[in-house]
Amino acid sequence: MAIKKSDLYSSIWASCDELRGGMDASQYKDYVLFMLFIKYVSDKYADYDGFEPPIVIPKGASFRDMVALKGDPDIGNKINTQVIQPLIDANGRLARSDFPDFNDPNKLGDGQARVERLGNLIAIFENPALDFSQNRAEHDDILGDAYEYLMRHFATQSGKSKGQFYTPAEVSRVIAKVIGISPENTVASTTAYDPTCGSGSLLLKVAAEAGKHITLEGQEKDSTTAGLARMNMILHDFPTANIASGGEGTLVKPRFLDGERLRTYDYVVANPPFSDKTWSTGLTLGESGEGDSHKRFTWGVPPKKQGDFAYLLHIIRSMKSAGKAACILPHGVLFRGNAEAVIRQNLVRSGILKGIIGLPANLFFGTGIPACIVVLDKENAAARKGVFMIDASKAFRKDGPKNRLREQDIHKIVDTFRRQDEGDPRYGRLVPRDGIADPKNDYSLNLPRYIASAEPEDLQDIDGHLRGGIPERDLDALSAYWKIMPTLRATLFEPLRPGYSLLRAPIAEVKAAILSHAEFIAFNDSATELFKRWRAATTPRLKGFVKDGHPKALIETISEDLLADFKAAPLLDAYDVYQHLMDYWAETMQDDAYLISVVGWAEGTKPREIRQVKNKDGKLVWPEKEDFRRGKRRFKSDLVPAALIIDCYFSAERAAIAGLESELAAIEQELEEMREEQGGEDGLLAEANEANEGEPPRITAKSMKEALRKIGDDPDEEDARRALKAYRDLLDKQAETRGRLRILEDELEARLDAKYPKLTEDEIKTLVVDDKWLATLKGSVEGELDRVSQTLTGRIRQLAERYATPLQRLTDEVAALAARMNLHLKTMGAVWK
């Protein structure tokens, strides 16, 4: 049975994090990622029978040989000398600095502690699901996704100064898309370069957009991080990518040269260290940039303590004459003065600056400051009329301590930038070069100067407060609703005086009036029809998905169709609808599609025993919930949960169980009430309280029997005897009801167990596609429609309540209250002046 992607990732992470102990995540990641690397290359290339394998696995240096070392007292040293070193000797692209020291007592402990820790770490990667010998990840990229998953988690836990090795995948995807690389404009000789490549994620996202093997080159100052990048390239099937490392760094000693000149590329991407204060160490530059043999600083020399423009100028110099580039930089580059202002002015005048995309704060590991993507394009630079600017700073979701771009945010940024779409001037617009050069702006590129992204201020109306009435200005602001439902406004409001209206019905009746209005019903029906149309077109694709299918191609097709269909829906944000699908894909559908692609519909439906990860003390660190039981063993079906089978085939049995559960809850409530009323020291049930050391007293069938025996036929204890017997009868009824409930549950479990093997493939597809996937998405779309009415109702309620009580009425109420108070005071013989 194949393991789900999400289960694979989370169980590996739970296991690794449990074994980490006191080691810093930024160090432990090197061991974990090496294990994933050696497992992959061993599976794929240890028995390679083709010509010149991309990675040579020497005899005795495979993952199997590491497994054989488990329990060996010298395991750490043998991994270093018998696995890692032969691997390095056989592969010129690998270096010793790429890999961690498996015999380091400071990180792994001494003696038996190290032996156990390494043995347990190896055991995690013996999971049968991690079998890459058939290269089943070719289209689905389970391996690359696992690497990304672990990198993100390690970056999250590595602390502020140690998480910079990883650029969030979502930002990398935006960059790869906005530079415009695609299968249509890419050939094998296309080149891409990252001068500060970290673990290589940016380059790999560019390669993914290219859709074919292109030439990848990157430089990374930190040798350990460069090792991660080399492994990352191999794990993503780019073993020929050239990753250079060196202590001086790209600005001081660029490693990719053609003779004495910087090598130039079709595409350049980078996420350099923000405001690098040591960028010029090792460089001797004059005021006009002389001293740099690569002539990168002819537009000006950046400040010694702010290296952002130094990297940008290196990128520009590394672009071919029609090259494209994108770079992540802090917002300060857009407006800081002095030397940076001069460089910025030259950049704008050159026409190379194509766009700026403002990102949310707190996206990156290592810093919380907001950043932007600077997009460069040398092609037709002289004819470029302006800079396209996007302010996407407010669109994100919280993800633990960081913010994260959603799928809809990525799509909207890319769509808006590619189309140069100015439909929403508060989000994106083309700013003419003349406007940037205007003295009032003086070449500042600070986004708020050009994009007013803040919500319009909700103004209070003085006359409305003084005399009552909702201002027509506020109702006019809801024109998007009135355009679709032109008579609804007159249904809800009536004129009060020029410029002001009153709500016709009480506030509590507004939502019902909206929902029952013919035009809202028509709007609702039209949006529902869009979903039905998409559903009709999508169902055959989903049911036609087969073993060895490509899940990523599937979701790309159906999600793009959904987005395109709902862009025709007024009042709904098509990107919000799209996000519902992408969230459900990440949560459920992706795992299901992956499972089907590996084992097929029928095999993927078979129940399996649940998997759980425990630590050395037996505590669950990654629990998996059960679906149903077979005796003491717990099972679940990944593709068809038991609840789906029950809803479809055993609804009567479910109703019977629900009825008994309600009956049992009522009995337990009655018992609780009796205990509260009569269970105290002086209560009628006091004699049955069973004392347990360290726990509150409780009443059991045994203590009840003993209490009745003690009081016997004593006539003075008649009330207690009656109460005890009533409680005893309830306990008996509780036990009897529980017994009946257990019988029904066991019968249902047996029927479930018998039903699963009898399901036909058509039945499985109906359950999964119609009753699970599409039913869930239908509910999400209905939620978006409900949000339209909620938003309109909420705004109307807010306006109605705001202007409900005019000043004169308040004055009259105050006067009436004052008169009543004076009357009361006078009655009591007091006078208030």
Side-chain angles (χ1 to χ4, degrees):
M1 169 63 69
I3 189 169
K4 296 194 301 179
K5 287 179 73 171
S6 60
D7 286 356
L8 174 63
Y9 303 159
S10 53
S11 61
I12 288 175
W13 172 254
S15 301
C16 293
D17 200 41
E18 173 61 30
L19 288 176
R20 177 160 65 92
M23 195 190 310
D24 189 276
S26 63
Q27 297 174 329
Y28 190 55
K29 77 177 189 303
D30 301 333
Y31 294 94
V32 172
L33 295 174
F34 171 76
M35 295 302 303
L36 187 63
F37 169 78
I38 192 67
K39 181 69 171 72
Y40 172 71
V41 296
S42 296
D43 284 354
K44 192 169 182 185
Y45 301 121
D47 300 317
Y48 193 79
D49 55 5
F51 178 71
E52 291 189 2
I55 295 293
V56 176
I57 310 297
K59 188 174 181 180
S62 71
F63 180 75
R64 287 193 298 269
D65 299 301
M66 291 183 72
V67 173
L69 292 174
K70 288 196 313 182
D72 190 313
D74 198 27
I75 182 173
N77 179 57
K78 288 183 177 178
I79 290 175
N80 284 342
T81 57
Q82 297 179 14
V83 177
I84 293 178
Q85 193 58 50
L87 196 65
I88 295 165
D89 294 339
N91 297 277
R93 290 180 180 269
L94 302 178
R96 184 63 190 90
S97 59
D98 293 350
F99 306 114
D101 180 0
F102 277 80
N103 208 34
D104 187 337
N106 295 320
K107 297 177 182 177
L108 298 169
D110 285 311
Q112 189 59 29
R114 186 193 313 166
V115 174
E116 288 183 6
R117 174 175 272 180
L118 290 178
N120 290 335
L121 183 59
I122 292 169
I124 293 170
F125 292 87
E126 290 184 85
N127 188 326
L130 284 172
D131 177 9
F132 304 112
S133 56
Q134 302 303 313
N135 193 26
R136 72 179 185 205
E138 180 180 355
H139 300 289
D140 184 66
D141 202 17
I142 179 177
L143 184 68
D145 288 351
Y147 196 80
E148 286 274 359
Y149 181 94
L150 293 172
M151 286 281 244
R152 171 177 285 277
H153 278 70
F154 279 124
T156 300
Q157 292 201 357
S158 289
K160 205 165 188 183
S161 63
K162 299 173 183 175
Q164 297 178 4
F165 59 82
Y166 176 71
T167 300
E170 297 82 13
V171 180
S172 297
R173 285 169 54 200
V174 171
I175 287 177
K177 290 175 182 293
V178 297
I179 59 175
I181 191 169
S182 68
E184 291 72 32
N185 60 19
T186 305
V187 294
S189 60
T190 298
T191 56
Y193 166 62
D194 185 342
T196 57
C197 69
S199 55
S201 58
L202 251 177
L203 278 175
L204 286 167
K205 288 296 184 291
V206 172
E209 287 299 312
K212 59 190 69 171
H213 275 71
I214 61 175
T215 299
L216 301 181
E217 294 185 336
Q219 184 167 344
E220 171 52 42
K221 185 175 182 179
D222 183 84
S223 58
T224 302
T225 304
L228 292 180
R230 291 189 189 97
M231 287 191 286
N232 202 3
M233 295 297 160
I234 293 167
L235 293 173
H236 283 82
D237 203 24
F238 273 87
T240 59
N242 194 355
I243 305 296
S245 58
E248 300 92 341
T250 293
L251 297 180
V252 178
K253 190 175 181 179
R255 299 289 296 275
F256 296 102
L257 304 172
D258 287 328
E260 296 297 319
R261 302 178 61 185
L262 286 180
R263 185 172 299 167
T264 56
Y265 299 86
D266 298 301
Y267 299 95
V268 184
V269 291
N271 179 17
F274 286 1
S275 302
D276 187 354
K277 299 186 184 336
T278 61
W279 73 270
S280 61
T281 303
L283 288 173
T284 303
L285 302 172
E287 291 185 5
S288 301
E290 60 270 16
D292 174 37
S293 60
H294 305 298
K295 298 181 174 54
R296 293 170 290 185
F297 306 113
T298 56
W299 286 353
V301 179
K304 286 190 176 182
K305 300 297 185 182
Q306 302 283 1
D308 303 307
F309 268 115
Y311 289 99
L312 190 70
L313 293 172
H314 175 86
I315 289 168
I316 291 172
R317 196 69 175 167
S318 301
M319 297 164 63
K320 288 184 177 180
S321 59
K324 320 290 195 257
C327 180
I328 301 168
L329 294 173
H331 267 292
V333 301
L334 304 179
F335 54 79
R336 289 193 299 245
N338 302 318
E340 292 184 307
V342 175
I343 298 171
R344 189 166 53 246
Q345 180 174 323
N346 283 312
L347 175 62
V348 173
R349 286 176 173 174
S350 72
I352 294 174
L353 180 61
K354 183 177 182 179
I356 299 167
I357 301 167
L359 298 172
N362 203 27
L363 279 184
F364 297 92
F365 302 97
T367 180
I369 66 172
C372 61
I373 299 172
V374 176
V375 186
L376 307 170
D377 189 351
K378 284 189 176 179
E379 189 173 15
N380 299 320
R384 189 159 286 123
K385 300 298 183 183
V387 178
F388 195 84
M389 298 185 182
I390 293 176
D391 186 349
S393 61
K394 295 177 177 60
F396 59 88
R397 70 154 51 112
K398 293 294 294 179
D399 183 21
K402 307 301 290 184
N403 295 330
R404 192 171 181 179
L405 294 178
R406 300 164 294 180
E407 290 294 328
Q408 72 180 95
D409 304 326
I410 297 169
H411 212 304
K412 186 175 181 180
I413 290 170
V414 173
D415 286 350
T416 304
F417 190 84
R418 282 180 172 173
R419 299 169 186 165
Q420 305 278 285
D421 185 355
E422 298 186 87
D424 182 358
R426 290 169 50 204
Y427 184 77
R429 61 177 288 240
L430 181 65
V431 180
R433 197 186 307 175
D434 291 345
I436 297 171
D438 189 289
K440 70 179 181 180
N441 292 319
D442 194 22
Y443 290 95
S444 170
L445 296 171
N446 199 19
L447 294 176
R449 284 178 176 264
Y450 309 101
I451 301 177
S453 61
E455 290 289 330
E457 187 178 356
D458 189 7
L459 299 174
Q460 301 282 336
D461 188 277
I462 301 300
D463 194 60
H465 284 298
L466 292 175
R467 299 198 289 160
I470 300 171
E472 293 286 347
R473 178 196 65 217
D474 287 324
L475 297 180
D476 292 342
L478 300 170
S479 60
Y481 295 93
W482 315 138
K483 183 178 179 181
I484 305 303
M485 297 168 270
T487 67
L488 179 59
R489 181 171 178 172
T491 301
L492 297 174
F493 302 97
E494 61 183 1
L496 175 63
R497 62 179 184 279
Y500 295 85
S501 294
L502 279 178
L503 198 58
R504 290 183 183 274
I507 292 175
E509 298 176 13
V510 168
K511 184 170 184 180
I514 293 172
L515 293 177
S516 62
H517 195 277
E519 290 170 350
F520 182 84
I521 293 172
F523 155 74
N524 199 80
D525 289 346
S526 66
T528 303
E529 189 59 38
L530 287 175
F531 180 77
K532 288 180 180 177
R533 190 172 70 192
W534 175 82
R535 178 175 182 156
T538 302
T539 299
R541 290 195 183 105
L542 295 176
K543 291 186 176 180
F545 189 73
V546 294
K547 184 178 179 181
D548 297 323
H550 303 164
K552 287 188 175 178
L554 174 68
I555 186 57
E556 184 174 348
T557 299
I558 66 173
S559 64
E560 291 299 321
D561 287 350
L562 182 70
L563 183 63
D565 285 348
F566 271 86
K567 281 187 174 178
L571 301 181
L572 291 175
D573 186 332
Y575 290 102
D576 286 340
V577 178
Y578 168 85
Q579 184 64 39
H580 283 295
L581 171 57
M582 299 310 292
D583 283 343
Y584 187 55
W585 173 260
E587 173 190 322
T588 300
M589 283 184 71
Q590 176 180 229
D591 283 332
D592 290 347
Y594 165 69
L595 198 61
I596 294 164
S597 73
V598 175
V599 299
W601 292 86
E603 188 67 26
T605 302
K606 289 181 180 178
R608 59 166 176 80
E609 285 193 73
I610 66 167
R611 292 179 287 264
Q612 296 181 325
V613 175
K614 297 181 180 180
N615 64 13
K616 60 184 178 182
D617 300 320
K619 178 183 177 183
L620 286 174
V621 294
W622 181 70
E624 186 180 27
K625 294 180 180 178
E626 67 185 34
D627 222 11
F628 64 97
R629 294 172 179 260
R630 293 180 190 165
K632 293 182 179 180
R633 295 163 68 194
R634 295 174 291 176
F635 285 79
K636 71 178 295 182
S637 169
D638 292 311
L639 202 53
V640 184
L644 273 179
I645 303 278
I646 293 169
D647 286 345
C648 187
Y649 298 103
F650 304 116
S651 56
E653 290 86 342
R654 181 192 59 201
I657 288 173
L660 276 182
E661 287 174 336
S662 297
E663 188 178 329
L664 185 60
I667 294 169
E668 289 173 346
Q669 176 65 28
E670 195 172 348
L671 287 168
E672 176 66 24
E673 289 172 357
M674 289 184 71
R675 283 196 300 273
E676 288 181 358
E677 293 174 5
Q678 302 294 340
E681 291 183 7
D682 299 324
L684 296 174
L685 300 176
E687 192 68 40
N689 277 331
E690 184 180 84
N692 292 279
E693 187 175 349
E695 296 180 12
R698 59 194 179 98
I699 301 174
T700 65
K702 181 180 178 182
S703 65
M704 182 67 58
K705 184 178 179 181
E706 179 62 21
L708 285 169
R709 186 191 66 76
K710 282 184 180 180
I711 65 174
D713 295 328
D714 188 342
D716 294 334
E717 297 288 347
E718 179 60 30
D719 289 341
R721 186 165 41 252
R722 189 181 300 113
L724 288 167
K725 286 182 177 180
Y727 196 91
R728 181 194 62 188
D729 292 344
L730 277 175
L731 284 177
D732 291 342
K733 188 175 181 182
Q734 180 190 46
E736 185 268 337
T737 306
R738 280 178 175 168
R740 286 192 290 140
L741 180 59
R742 193 174 300 113
I743 290 170
L744 288 183
E745 289 174 338
D746 289 345
E747 289 176 351
L748 180 56
E749 297 270 328
R751 290 179 181 178
L752 273 172
D753 196 16
K755 184 64 181 178
Y756 271 108
K758 295 179 182 177
L759 290 171
T760 67
E761 187 162 301
D762 284 342
E763 287 177 322
I764 293 169
K765 289 180 177 180
T766 297
L767 286 166
V768 175
V769 175
D770 296 329
D771 301 337
K772 182 181 176 183
W773 293 348
L774 293 175
T776 301
L777 293 171
K778 180 175 182 288
S780 298
V781 172
E782 289 171 350
E784 285 298 314
L785 289 170
D786 188 54
R787 192 163 68 170
V788 172
S789 63
Q790 294 279 20
T791 302
L792 179 58
T793 302
R795 180 57 175 167
I796 291 172
R797 178 183 290 114
Q798 181 186 48
L799 292 171
E801 291 174 347
R802 177 181 296 173
Y803 300 108
T805 310
L807 180 62
Q808 186 58 53
R809 189 187 304 170
L810 288 173
T811 303
D812 292 344
E813 288 177 0
V814 169
L817 289 171
R820 288 175 61 190
M821 184 186 72
N822 286 330
L823 181 60
H824 289 310
L825 289 172
K826 186 176 181 181
T827 303
M828 292 185 291
V831 178
W832 174 260
K833 292 185 180 179

